[in-house]
């Protein structure tokens, strides 16, 4: 479910957006999610991505975007998906954080004031 105005333009390129969405949606699916909600916040510019999967423990939430950190090594996880998302967003002047959630994983992407459309 997408909650955003129709004419919204995020300060990132189409390629950056596709990479970000691919990894976040793939990650949600791999953790049992059947629904993903994306909510746009205008001031300051931010996206919230919430899924209904198994979620992220508070112990892992700080490390979840570090390269090679994975909770799915036994299932073939490499720990690179969210690290790639973080690197792509950094190029676009944004950062991603894992926030506490009652159900599933909740990520917030924040753009710095200096970010611009690509």
């Amino acid at each position: 479910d997408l909650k955003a105005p129709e004419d919204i333009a995020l300060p990132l390129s189409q390629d950056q957006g596709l990479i970000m969405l691919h990894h976040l949606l793939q990650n949600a699916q791999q953790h049992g999610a059947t629904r993903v909600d994306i909510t746009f916040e205008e001031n300051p510019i931010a996206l919230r991505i919430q899924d209904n999967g198994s979620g992220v423990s508070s112990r892992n939430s700080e490390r979840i975007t570090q390269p090679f950190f994975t909770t799915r090594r036994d299932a073939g996880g490499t720990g690179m998906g969210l690290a790639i998302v973080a690197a792509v967003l950094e190029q676009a002047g944004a950062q991603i954080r894992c926030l506490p959630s009652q159900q599933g994983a909740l990520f917030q992407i924040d753009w710095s004031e200096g970010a611009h459309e690509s």
Side-chain angles (χ1 to χ4, degrees), residues 56-66 98:
V56 179
S57 73
S58 58
R59 192 181 91 216
N60 291 334
S61 65
E62 291 293 320
R63 304 182 321 163
I64 200 76
T65 60
Q66 292 176 355
C98 184

Side-chain angles (χ1 to χ4, degrees), residues 21-37 49-55 72 82 105 107:
L21 285 174
H22 168 78
H23 286 289
L24 286 171
L25 295 175
Q26 182 180 51
N27 203 57
Q29 178 192 32
Q30 290 170 345
H31 288 274
T34 58
R35 180 178 176 89
V36 176
D37 294 315
I49 299 97
Q50 170 88 55
D51 70 45
N52 67 348
S54 58
R72 297 186 62 251
L82 292 175
F107 292 95

Side-chain angles (χ1 to χ4, degrees), residues 1-80:
D1 188 28
L2 177 63
K3 298 172 187 135
E6 282 188 34
D7 61 345
I8 192 62
L10 293 174
L12 71 163
S13 73
Q14 182 177 356
D15 287 342
Q16 290 169 321
L18 290 173
I19 291 167
M20 174 194 71
L21 285 174
H22 168 78
H23 286 289
L24 286 171
L25 295 175
Q26 182 180 51
N27 203 57
Q29 178 192 32
Q30 290 170 345
H31 288 274
T34 58
R35 180 178 176 89
V36 176
D37 294 315
I38 301 173
T39 305
F40 172 76
E41 296 178 13
E42 192 166 359
N43 197 5
I45 296 174
L47 278 182
R48 281 189 167 225
I49 299 97
Q50 170 88 55
D51 70 45
N52 67 348
S54 58
V56 179
S57 73
S58 58
R59 192 181 91 216
N60 291 334
S61 65
E62 291 293 320
R63 304 182 321 163
I64 200 76
T65 60
Q66 292 176 355
F68 307 111
F69 177 79
T70 181
T71 59
R72 297 186 62 251
R73 190 147 333 268
D74 60 333
T78 63
M80 290 306 295

